[in-house]
Amino acid sequence: MRALVVTAVAAERDAVCAALDAATATNAETAAGGYRPAALPGGYALHRAPTGPDGAPAAPDVLAAGVGPAAAAAGTATALTAAALAATSYDLVVSAGIGGGFAPAAPLGAVVVADAIVAADLGAETPDGFVPVTELGFGTAVHRPDPALVAAVAAATGGTAGPVVTVSTVTGSAARAAELAARHPGVLVEAMEGFGVAEAAAAHGLPVLELRTVSNAVGPRDRAAWRIGPALAALTGAFRTFPGALAGVPAAAPTPPPPTPRRTS
């Protein structure tokens, strides 16, 4: 299964790339860590994985697309389009990185695999509260990854499956954390890119996953309590198991691109 992993920043990309075991190197290309940057339109640098003895990729390709859902969607769409034009299309797209965990279900260092990728703030505020974009009659607010893929990756990584919300503004108060938890029962992680990656994958008819490791608690911003280094290390550990997790799961059937919503009034 040929996979594209999309992160927000270079530190997350490098943590994913570090999962490639240099001991499996089969050619000179892999001697310096295995990945080789390839330029994409728009100035993106795709880190291409080396191939294994069978000619298949030894690991996912990895792209740092930028922070937030818009940047994530643009970068993912660019990489997917370039691959399609080169007749090297992907079979799976993965949004990955660190994120904030909702205590106590997702403590620091936890691995979380999204069973729902939710646009938490895509909609409208009304006197009666928040209304998601779907209730306004436009588009979608949730992408649901293949349950078999979610279960396989969660089992392989020792992670927990549950909803991950995508926001454009990171939560900085206990009140906002409580609001999100009430609106999205069972939510485990808050991040900023998953829904954008999922939208681009859906437009190409590809399945999507989101994998996050927890670096901080969702709520009041306390930078002294953040554990970014350990979360990045946990991300590397999770992706060491990733190829094996995918090997036992049949490829998901392609899904048709979603229709383009049109205003009727």
Side-chain angles (χ1 to χ4, degrees):
M1 184 180 291
R2 188 160 185 259
L4 171 67
V5 175
V6 183
T7 71
V9 297
E12 295 168 323
R13 177 200 65 205
D14 294 346
V16 174
C17 291
L20 178 63
D21 185 358
T24 64
T26 58
N27 53 49
E29 180 183 321
T30 63
Y35 282 86
R36 183 172 61 187
L40 294 178
Y44 298 102
L46 176 69
H47 279 50
R48 292 194 187 279
T51 56
D54 59 356
D61 290 349
V62 189
L63 175 70
V67 174
T76 304
T78 297
L80 295 179
T81 300
L85 292 174
T88 57
S89 294
Y90 293 100
D91 303 302
L92 173 68
V93 185
V94 184
S95 175
I98 63 177
F102 286 84
L108 297 181
V111 177
V112 171
V113 183
D115 62 9
I117 302 170
V118 184
D121 51 12
L122 183 61
E125 290 289 347
T126 76
D128 297 321
F130 179 79
V131 178
V133 70
T134 47
E135 293 185 21
L136 298 174
F138 304 109
T140 184
V142 182
H143 289 276
R144 299 191 183 278
D146 177 6
L149 278 172
V150 172
V153 173
T157 60
T160 301
V164 175
V165 293
T166 299
V167 296
S168 295
T169 301
V170 172
T171 296
S173 70
R176 174 62 172 166
E179 178 187 353
L180 286 174
R183 189 187 300 164
H184 306 287
V187 63
L188 295 179
V189 167
E190 170 188 274
M192 300 183 73
E193 292 79 32
F195 188 79
V197 173
E199 284 283 277
H204 281 259
L206 295 174
V208 67
L209 286 175
E210 183 170 8
L211 189 154
R212 295 283 170 177
T213 54
V214 177
S215 59
N216 58 278
V218 177
R221 291 174 66 80
D222 179 7
R223 296 178 73 95
W226 294 359
R227 297 294 182 266
I228 292 176
L232 291 172
L235 191 64
T236 299
F239 273 92
R240 286 198 180 103
T241 72
F242 194 74
L246 297 184
V249 180
T255 55
T260 301
R262 293 179 172 84
R263 293 186 69 100
T264 57
S265 62

